[in-house]
Every structure is written in structure tokens, then in C-alpha cells.
Amino acid sequence: MNTELSSVQQRARIHAALGDPARLAIVDTLTLGDASPGEIARALDMPTNLVAHHVKVLDEAGLLERSRSEGDRRRTYLRLRPDVLAALVPPRLRDVARIVFVCTHNSARSQLAAALWAHRAAGIPAASAGTHPAARVNPRAVAVARRHGLVINATGTAHVGDVVTDADLVVAVCDNAHEDLTQGVRPRLHWSVPAPEDTDAAFEATFADLADRIDRLAPALQPTSAAPAQHPGADHD
């Protein structure tokens, strides 16, 4: 069994164990401190036999540890295993040398994503490209970036074939780019970010959507030990 499948199965067991309100309440009770089954029963106003059943399920999922009281040796305390809860996070993507955001025209979404990445996620360089790049970046994209303290080169568009290398993690930030890149370059990630309408409010919403996705992706990436040499067109503008 490969490691990725084993990780998925482990997380599925943990999710199944947590998929009951009473068991989730027990986990909440143990998040900040240890407790005996009797203390849990009193805190949650739950019959002791029901607590015992739920504790058994959580124990079998590997979420709990038991220890004997140093005072009353007949008493057992339960301790939550935070490392097991941490396993609920999907596995990290390892050895990412660079991330390249791709959309159709490289005039808005991919530019904003690369600028956001460079600002928020240190350690891994970013670039952007388009499957059918425009001559210039959309002025509203330049403006929304400026409002948030970011800079985009208005003429800095590039074709995906001139930017992407085999070592890159490619993120398609629009559906058309995702569906176009079926030959040669295949995105490893796809963000279905709608094309913004031609209003400042729509571009602000797109900026917020991309910022949220980047904040979720960044902790899952592990950079290579050494960054690769810059490829032509590799800067995020």
C-alpha cells in the first residue's frame, strides 16, 4: 500500500470517529486539558456507559492516550493526541521549485495570483502566464493590486510555453486554461475562479478569492533546497 493511500485511509478513520456530536464534544473537552471518563461524563452531562462507548471509538482511531493518576492509581486520565488531529491536513506537496499561475490571457487572475503569492508566501518564487496572452494586463487588475500595496507590470504578459518548465507547480486559475492545458503542460492544481466583470467591486472579489486560496495552499507546499535558475519570463509581473 502506498503512503498516500495509507494517509487517506487514516484520515478517513479519524473523520469517521469525529462524525458524531458526542465524540466531537469529548474531543473539544480534551483540547485544552486532560480528563478522566467520569469528569467527561459530568462535564457533558452524559451517561458513563455512553462516554465509555465513544471513548472506545476515539481510542481505536488513535486519537487518545491513557495515563494512570499519580495520586489515585485507580483513576485513568485521557489525553488528546494533537499529532493525530494534525494528520487530517492533506499531505504536503514536496520539492516545489516554483509555482506558475496560468489563465487564458495572463491579464488579470494569473497576474494577481502571482503578485499575491510573492507578497504572502516567502520561499518559493512565482510566475504567471497565459494560454493566449493579451498584449497588456487589464488596468483594473493593476489598480486592485496597487490598492493592496502590490505592483504588476502592465505590459508583462507571457505565453505558457515560454514560462513553464517541468519543475514547476502549475496552477490553472481559470476553467479555460485548465481545459486547454491537456497536452504537454498539465496543471497539477485547478482553481475555478470566475472571470471578473469589468467593475472595481468584481476585481476586489476576485482578489479576495485568490488571496484566500493562496493562504490555504502556501502551508501545504515544501520548497526545494535550492531555487532553480530563473527562466525567461519567470518574474510574477
Side-chain angles (χ1 to χ4, degrees):
M1 181 181 299
N2 63 51
T3 303
E4 185 175 351
L5 179 58
S6 176
S7 172
V8 169
Q9 291 175 336
Q10 179 189 15
R11 285 188 284 132
R13 284 195 295 270
I14 297 169
H15 278 293
L18 295 174
D20 179 280
R23 290 196 286 274
L24 196 55
I26 292 172
V27 169
D28 287 345
T29 301
L30 295 172
T31 297
L32 299 179
D34 306 338
S36 69
E39 289 169 336
I40 291 172
R42 288 190 293 275
L44 299 179
D45 193 22
M46 188 183 301
T48 55
N49 62 330
L50 193 55
V51 169
H53 164 72
H54 289 310
V55 164
K56 182 175 184 292
V57 174
L58 294 170
D59 192 25
E60 290 175 347
L63 284 160
L64 302 179
E65 292 179 345
R66 299 169 184 267
S67 63
R68 289 286 183 185
S69 166
E70 291 182 348
D72 183 347
R73 299 294 295 175
R74 296 169 298 177
R75 178 172 295 184
T76 298
Y77 288 111
L78 302 172
R79 176 184 304 172
L80 193 64
R81 292 185 58 192
D83 60 309
V84 177
L85 284 178
L88 294 176
V89 178
R92 298 181 73 182
L93 299 176
R94 300 184 180 277
D95 297 327
V96 176
R98 186 179 64 162
I99 184 167
V100 180
F101 297 97
V102 178
C103 65
T104 303
H105 300 304
N106 191 212
S107 64
R109 287 165 286 183
S110 58
Q111 293 278 352
L112 290 171
L116 271 161
W117 184 272
H119 180 67
R120 295 191 176 205
I124 300 176
S128 69
T131 54
H132 300 86
R136 297 179 64 84
V137 178
N138 188 305
R140 290 194 188 276
V142 175
V144 73
R146 185 181 298 118
R147 285 196 293 273
H148 291 273
L150 307 179
V151 177
I152 293 177
N153 178 359
T155 61
T157 61
H159 189 273
V160 65
D162 296 326
V163 175
V164 174
T165 72
D166 291 341
D168 293 328
L169 170 64
V170 177
V171 181
V173 294
C174 80
D175 297 341
N176 285 327
H178 173 66
E179 293 160 13
D180 282 348
L181 293 174
T182 56
Q183 301 291 331
V185 177
R186 180 63 180 167
R188 289 186 55 190
L189 294 176
H190 170 217
W191 295 349
S192 186
V193 179
E197 296 179 1
D198 193 24
T199 67
D200 287 345
F203 272 77
E204 285 287 352
T206 296
F207 185 93
D209 186 359
L210 291 167
D212 177 67
R213 291 172 182 269
I214 283 168
D215 287 344
R216 283 184 279 139
L217 175 62
L221 299 189
Q222 178 173 305
T224 55
S225 55
Q230 286 290 315
H231 190 282
D235 61 280
H236 70 257
D237 295 333

